[in-house]
Amino acid sequence: MEEMLIQKIACNADDMIESIKAIVRIPSVKSEPLPQMPYGKAIHEALIAVLALAQEMGFETENVDGHMGIVKYGEGKDYIGIIGHLDVVEAGDGWKHAPFGAEEEKGRIYGRGILDNKGAILSCLYALYAIKQLHITLQHPIWILFGTDEESGFHDLQYYLRKHQPPIMGFTPDCKYPVVYGERGRCTLQVSADPAHYDAFCTFVNAYLQQDNGMGKCFDLEIEDQEFGKMQLSRGKLHREGEKLCVAFTFAYPFGIDAETIMRQVRSFLPDGLMMQCLINWKPVRFAKDGFLCRTLQSAYEKITGADGTPVTTSGGTYAKLMPHIVPFGPSFPGQKGIAHLPDEWMDKEDLIKNAMIYGISMLRLGSEGTYEE
């Protein structure tokens, strides 16, 4: 059955590529909310287009009040969840190819969102379509969730979880291969000052944030974890909020420390008169490397690629921070770094097809939960 599934995905490859290009051409950057369009018109257009495509394939779909779309296959409540997103960051400058042109050159497709995350989540849709075409019955239903606010704070997923229970297990195709069993925590702090304390604010920024080595050394937070590596510190741009000067900075932190400890340590370095608040804190995520979920995804990756699929960790942040029971899994292959959010974001057609095959085998095995044998 798995070989038949792989062949069916290959047969659908041309249609999949054209569908991905069509969705990439929609400039789904967040904009002002409108009725039934909580993240703006363009994101809503992308969501409606994907749900229409799924309906043409014969799937049951659900529009969760414009916050998220669901494509469903199979019966039952205990579903396997696959979650990606259709919203993208702004194109920015420096492109050689049209940011929303989905231009193809030598087997490579360029466009904002082709990797992060439209190409990946649509390859999941076509993988599930192949399962449907083969009339495969699974023990657990599979739901593909199309998010619309991943790039701006996960408000879509927070809304979804007020309406639906989380999956029993699953993955988000919005990171890298092999399967990621652990994500660092992410804590964003903002320091601000009123006009009376501008000098102290500038002294703080120059003495600490601008001099830091990117690992928290300036705050005595240079921490290293055997699994997750070293603490990472990144600084945002200086900005104003009314009369206040502000700077936000983010710690990507490993296990062994928490946001409260980080805040307490940073606060001890603040000059008098400066204020600090925590804007975001997502706790670290870690799954058992030898558990059923990671083992199943590892075996699917190894079957299609022939490469070592030993689970890894990441310093990035995905829907796994908020959605229970899911791990990051693909779509970037080892060595593919510095692509998302940059000019000329790209993905190779060959890799899109390979992703669909990996995800198809993964869905088949997860949906069967051990009852399926090759």
Side-chain angles (χ1 to χ4, degrees):
M1 184 64 73
E2 290 188 355
E3 297 308 318
M4 293 175 62
L5 177 58
I6 291 169
Q7 292 173 13
K8 180 60 71 174
I9 290 170
C11 289
N12 293 336
D14 289 344
D15 289 341
M16 180 183 76
I17 296 300
E18 291 307 309
S19 294
I20 290 171
K21 287 180 178 179
I23 301 301
V24 168
R25 292 187 182 111
I26 301 173
S28 48
V29 177
K30 190 173 184 178
S31 58
E32 290 297 317
L34 296 169
Q36 303 303 313
M37 305 178 190
Y39 310 110
K41 184 176 180 180
I43 289 178
H44 180 75
E45 181 184 348
L47 177 62
I48 295 303
V50 166
L51 292 180
L53 172 63
Q55 289 165 4
E56 290 174 7
M57 294 172 165
F59 286 111
E60 177 187 354
T61 67
E62 179 182 343
N63 184 336
V64 188
D65 301 328
H67 291 267
M68 193 167 286
I70 312 174
V71 174
K72 303 176 182 180
Y73 177 75
E75 302 296 329
K77 294 182 178 180
D78 293 335
Y79 68 97
I80 307 298
I82 319 299
I83 178 170
H85 62 95
L86 298 172
D87 60 310
V88 300
V89 299
E90 292 184 356
D93 300 323
W95 289 74
K96 296 180 181 178
H97 300 269
F100 297 103
E103 296 176 2
E104 183 179 336
E105 183 177 304
K106 297 180 179 179
R108 178 166 291 181
I109 302 170
Y110 296 88
R112 176 61 79 226
I114 182 67
L115 175 71
D116 185 18
N117 185 236
K118 294 177 178 178
I121 193 60
L122 282 166
S123 69
C124 291
L125 176 61
Y126 269 85
L128 188 61
Y129 182 44
I131 290 174
K132 180 179 180 295
Q133 288 177 306
L134 293 173
H135 306 289
I136 298 173
T137 300
L138 301 175
Q139 182 176 346
H140 294 288
I142 294 176
W143 291 11
I144 300 181
L145 312 181
F146 291 87
T148 55
D149 191 46
E150 194 274 347
E151 300 289 3
S152 303
F154 302 166
H155 299 99
D156 56 342
L157 182 51
Q158 294 174 56
Y159 187 92
Y160 174 87
L161 289 172
R162 293 196 292 268
K163 299 286 185 175
H164 290 283
Q165 67 182 26
I168 58 170
M169 57 184 150
F171 60 86
T172 175
D174 192 20
C175 192
K176 63 182 180 181
Y177 290 118
V179 57
V180 175
Y181 75 94
E183 279 191 4
R184 293 169 182 249
R186 181 169 291 190
C187 176
T188 299
L189 305 179
Q190 177 169 287
V191 171
S192 60
D194 58 31
H197 298 93
Y198 281 177
D199 289 345
F201 177 87
C202 293
T203 298
F204 170 78
V205 171
N206 291 331
Y208 297 106
L209 295 181
Q210 289 188 352
Q211 303 300 320
D212 192 76
N213 63 349
M215 293 178 286
K217 183 177 181 179
C218 65
F219 299 117
D220 293 337
L221 286 170
E222 200 169 25
I223 298 167
E224 185 168 2
D225 179 89
Q226 184 176 1
E227 292 180 287
F228 287 80
K230 297 180 180 180
M231 173 82 83
Q232 293 181 358
L233 172 61
S234 58
R235 179 172 72 85
K237 294 181 180 180
L238 299 176
H239 64 281
R240 288 183 178 271
E241 293 181 1
E243 291 189 343
K244 292 194 300 183
L245 282 177
C246 305
V247 61
F249 47 100
T250 299
F251 290 90
Y253 63 95
F255 275 86
I257 191 170
D258 55 33
E260 290 74 19
T261 301
I262 293 171
M263 292 174 64
R264 185 166 56 249
Q265 187 70 6
V266 173
R267 190 173 282 114
S268 70
F269 286 83
L270 287 183
D272 291 341
L274 270 60
M275 297 165 284
M276 187 183 76
Q277 64 181 125
C278 180
L279 301 181
I280 295 173
N281 178 47
W282 303 112
K283 295 180 180 179
V285 177
R286 181 162 59 182
F287 285 74
K289 289 191 287 186
D290 58 353
F292 175 77
L293 178 57
C294 287
R295 282 192 292 106
T296 300
L297 299 182
Q298 176 180 347
S299 66
Y301 173 80
E302 291 178 341
K303 176 181 177 69
I304 298 301
T305 67
D308 179 14
T310 302
V312 297
T313 64
T314 183
S315 59
T318 71
Y319 277 129
K321 286 283 194 295
L322 186 62
M323 176 68 94
H325 314 141
I326 68 167
V327 295
F329 188 45
S332 294
F333 291 95
Q336 296 179 343
K337 297 181 180 180
I339 301 172
H341 293 197
L342 295 179
D344 289 313
E345 180 180 341
W346 59 268
M347 200 165 183
D348 289 337
K349 290 200 303 183
E350 178 182 344
D351 286 346
L352 286 164
I353 297 167
K354 192 183 300 182
N355 267 280
M357 292 176 178
I358 293 170
Y359 294 143
I361 298 300
S362 298
M363 292 179 197
L364 181 60
R365 294 179 178 181
L366 290 177
S368 302
E369 198 182 7
T371 62
Y372 173 82
E373 295 182 3
E374 178 66 34

